[in-house]
Amino acid sequence: MPEDGALPARALEGAGERPLGFYLHVPYCATRCGYCDFNTYTASELRGAGGVLASRDNYAGQVAEEIRLARKVLGDDPRPVRTVFVGGGTPTMLAAGDLVRMLAAIRDEFGLADDAEVTTEANPESVDPAYLAELRAGGFNRISFGMQSARPHVLKVLDRNHTPGRPEACVAEARAAGFEHVNLDLIYGTPGESDDDWRASLDAAIGAGPDHVSAYALIVEEGTQLARRIRRGEVPMTDDDVHADRYLIADAAFEEAGFSWYEVSNWATSDAGRCLHNELYWRGADWWGAGPGAHSHVGGVRWWNVKHPGAYAAALGEGRSPGAGRELLSDEDRRVERILLELRLREGVELGLLKPAGRAAAERALADGLLDAEPYGAGRAVLTLRGRLLADAVVRDLVD
């Protein structure tokens, strides 16, 4: 990774024809959830023998510095930014003014498209009406609350610290502040969760009135507290059949409430409610990820930043790119990634991207009811409901 972050000339060829987004990573959390393996840090983890290694007090300024670096690297790129997504960690551990300041840096350096989507994730316990109003006035128009579950015993297993009912109240507060689009994140398959627990969470989420819901199967990552508890036999591991049943319960509930799936784990009440930023990822567009551990992609070049906030701050303070490494994607890499990602979308993937072995696998998937016959006849592989349950397996066959 060059110290100035410079990209190969070919990465910028045709850039004007591709959307550009920004992901801003906020690595701070009040506590570490038992299932989380994200690049996040609590206050105690950022404190060394010599004192604080990285402070959130000046974090917005550091991210703004990387945004200015992005402007230098991308040069005279005329594209206004189409999407901004602030994730973490817990972005709302920063003052609302800090999030607005980071957004302002993007606006100043690149400009925002007239219809830009600007999202932040939020912990339900870390916002209030005044905080939400400040975000909305500062240019944010979409917000995503981590709900996970409506059941206290499920939240306890996940080490989530919000009060049941608080995420639903946050939806109303966000609407009152003027947010056009509101998402709730749910997790299914937590040890100790029953079908009735899951139905209660779905009813609570739908009843709160968001226009987007994400529902993810719990993945127990090695090295997490939850993985250690399962290994010790303190809580049971949930099997794949339970995950499949919970997915079917969710899809039916969302469909009845007027939500439509547009990606395997995401449902929206309208096309306007879809998360445009995530669609940049799924469609292989360009995005710059700012912050410790953030990943970026521009024109077939993918790179990632140093993970620790202290190392990140040090690099920017010395006028260096915080990039830790990068890879240049070949045409074959990009073809495979398009299949991996686009097949998860409601629009599916072009059959023309498949090699002969993949096309034969697609024919088998069609015969097995995993692909929809009508779009298949029009040249696209689109997952059926049963296909969504087996999406990973279908993808593996199609990329052969």
Side-chain angles (χ1 to χ4, degrees):
M1 187 75 189
E3 286 199 351
D4 63 357
L7 294 173
R10 74 174 180 86
L12 300 178
E13 293 175 1
E17 302 171 8
R18 304 188 299 267
L20 174 64
F22 263 83
Y23 170 74
L24 309 180
H25 185 66
V26 178
Y28 306 107
C29 281
T31 60
R32 181 174 295 279
C33 297
Y35 64 93
C36 179
D37 73 335
F38 294 166
N39 187 43
T40 63
Y41 303 84
T42 64
S44 62
E45 291 170 331
L46 291 176
R47 191 174 298 277
V52 176
L53 298 173
S55 170
R56 63 184 182 183
D57 295 338
N58 56 359
Y59 185 72
Q62 293 166 9
V63 170
E65 188 62 36
E66 187 178 355
I67 292 166
R68 288 188 284 271
L69 171 68
R71 173 78 279 175
K72 294 176 183 176
V73 170
L74 297 179
D76 295 326
D77 190 328
R79 294 175 289 178
V81 171
R82 180 71 184 83
T83 67
V84 178
F85 194 103
V86 187
T90 307
T92 46
M93 279 195 70
L94 298 183
D98 285 344
L99 301 187
V100 171
R101 180 182 172 191
M102 293 190 291
L103 176 61
I106 294 173
R107 185 186 293 112
D108 292 345
E109 295 295 332
F110 291 88
L112 293 173
D114 291 340
D115 58 349
E117 174 192 270
V118 184
T119 306
T120 186
E121 294 179 334
N123 184 314
E125 300 290 354
S126 63
V127 298
D128 58 25
Y131 189 105
L132 294 170
E134 187 173 353
L135 286 181
R136 185 66 191 93
F140 285 82
N141 52 31
R142 186 176 185 276
I143 192 162
S144 176
F145 295 107
M147 178 178 179
Q148 319 316 350
S149 176
R151 294 296 207 196
H153 69 276
V154 176
L155 293 171
K156 184 176 180 180
V157 172
L158 295 172
D159 290 323
R160 294 292 296 182
N161 62 6
H162 67 256
T163 305
R166 178 61 194 148
E168 298 95 294
C170 284
V171 175
E173 292 172 5
R175 294 294 193 198
F179 279 87
E180 296 95 329
H181 302 296
V182 182
N183 172 64
L184 289 175
D185 276 345
L186 296 174
I187 289 178
Y188 57 88
T190 300
E193 177 191 65
S194 67
D195 285 352
D196 285 344
D197 290 333
W198 179 230
R199 290 190 180 95
S201 295
L202 292 167
D203 290 345
I206 291 168
D211 64 338
H212 189 288
V213 179
S214 301
Y216 303 104
L218 177 66
I219 298 174
V220 180
E221 301 286 0
E222 282 302 318
T224 62
Q225 178 64 24
L226 182 57
R228 290 188 288 272
R229 293 185 66 194
I230 290 173
R231 191 162 51 247
R232 292 193 297 263
E234 296 176 12
V235 292
M237 182 67 182
T238 306
D239 64 31
D240 290 343
D241 288 341
V242 170
H243 283 169
D245 289 343
R246 301 275 161 80
Y247 185 91
L248 293 173
I249 291 169
D251 189 69
F254 292 139
E255 188 76 22
E256 183 178 353
F259 289 77
S260 298
W261 80 281
Y262 71 96
E263 192 273 343
V264 169
S265 299
N266 291 273
W267 291 258
T269 57
S270 67
D271 286 346
R274 294 166 64 148
C275 180
L276 299 179
H277 184 82
N278 283 342
E279 290 196 270
L280 291 188
Y281 300 153
W282 298 325
R283 298 186 185 282
D286 290 350
W287 71 89
W288 189 292
H295 285 233
S296 303
H297 170 267
V298 173
V301 180
R302 183 161 50 217
W303 70 95
W304 48 93
N305 285 348
V306 294
K307 294 184 71 172
H308 197 280
Y312 175 78
L316 290 168
E318 295 167 5
R320 296 184 287 109
S321 164
R326 74 182 184 189
E327 58 182 336
L328 308 181
L329 303 178
S330 67
D331 290 343
E332 176 62 8
D333 291 333
R334 299 182 80 177
R335 182 192 75 86
V336 168
E337 289 197 358
R338 281 193 63 186
I339 298 170
L340 290 171
L341 296 171
E342 291 182 22
L343 186 64
R344 297 180 61 86
L345 296 171
R346 190 179 191 112
E347 294 78 13
V349 65
E350 295 177 18
L351 292 171
L353 286 174
L354 306 182
K355 291 185 175 181
R359 188 61 183 263
E363 292 284 351
R364 294 192 297 273
L366 178 67
D368 290 341
L370 304 177
L371 295 179
D372 193 324
E374 184 175 348
Y376 195 91
R380 300 193 73 82
V382 175
L383 294 170
T384 60
L385 175 56
R386 182 164 174 263
R388 280 185 268 157
L389 295 175
L390 300 170
D392 290 345
V394 176
V395 163
R396 283 196 298 270
D397 289 341
L398 265 57
V399 297
D400 286 344

